[in-house]
Amino acid sequence: MNRISEVSFRAVSLTTASRFAEASALYREVFGYLDPAYGLNPRLLGALASNGGSVVGILDESDRLVAFAYGFCGTDRRGFYHYSQSAVVADGQQGRGLGRMLKHAQKEVALSHGMSRMRWTYDPAQIRNAHFNLDVLGARGRWFAPDMYGPGTDRVVIEWDLTRDEPAVLDEAELTELIVPADPRELRRSFEKLLGQGLVAVSCRRLPDGNGAYYFGPADHA
């Protein structure tokens, strides 16, 4: 019998100093950060958890933290939204649905504070992440942030409608396809052009040759 398949997980809000410290350690471990400047202060997590932010984790059967995410309230001219800053899953735990559990745990926090939208960013060259965000969760890529964290760190800004339980049904005839180019500069130009036309990224699928294809549709139908 495969013991790994029997492991169960549960999503919780992190509320204690020991959990915040555990989350901070997991963050450094997953990203491989050695420089303290790139660490995550446990006290910051405590402040977020006490003031409308999300600090959520996934515990295994041994009560060990194996994944966590945090976020906070943001605002723009359209109103308030929840911004998911980071989500990490421990090595060896990927592919078990923990990322989806984290996002839905954050969704519950956001809804409890009266917010109906969540945003986060991802690298557009990462096809697996794009598929998860767009196809699995049903979020939409609405903005492009070139060099968001410095040169070579282009990001797509995702927005997720928290009031929608299932991804919207797409009309294939209305979609514009973008085969992911190998050149990051061309990928940037393509995203900026399509988003500039009022389209949004609605899907990303792996092609038989291993590459990926994005699909863009009208913003008002997304």
Side-chain angles (χ1 to χ4, degrees), residues 5-6 12 36 55 75 85 101 110-111 141 145 151-152 180 183 187:
S5 64
E6 297 178 358
V12 298
V55 184
T75 185
Q85 172 62 28
M101 289 178 68
L111 287 172
V180 177
D183 186 349
L187 181 59

Side-chain angles (χ1 to χ4, degrees), residues 80-179:
F80 293 100
Y81 57 87
H82 193 81
Y83 186 80
S84 176
Q85 172 62 28
S86 186
V88 298
V89 177
D91 292 341
Q93 301 291 352
Q94 291 83 4
R96 296 183 171 183
L98 303 189
R100 187 170 185 172
M101 289 178 68
L102 285 174
K103 278 292 184 282
H104 280 277
Q106 286 189 296
K107 172 183 176 178
E108 292 306 313
V109 173
L111 287 172
S112 73
H113 290 290
M115 285 172 275
S116 61
R117 296 176 293 144
M118 188 188 301
R119 294 182 188 174
W120 64 93
T121 67
Y122 78 95
D123 181 346
Q126 298 298 318
I127 305 304
R128 181 177 179 181
N129 285 351
H131 177 74
F132 171 74
N133 292 328
L134 303 176
D135 298 276
V136 176
L137 293 178
R140 298 296 179 243
R142 296 188 177 275
W143 302 279
F144 195 81
D147 298 327
M148 184 170 181
Y149 300 111
T153 61
D154 289 353
R155 295 292 185 267
V156 174
V157 182
I158 286 288
E159 187 169 74
W160 188 21
D161 182 355
L162 304 181
T163 66
R164 178 174 285 167
D165 293 329
E166 297 292 337
V169 177
L170 303 176
D171 183 349
E172 299 286 340
E174 292 187 338
L175 302 184
T176 299
E177 183 182 67
L178 169 64
I179 305 299

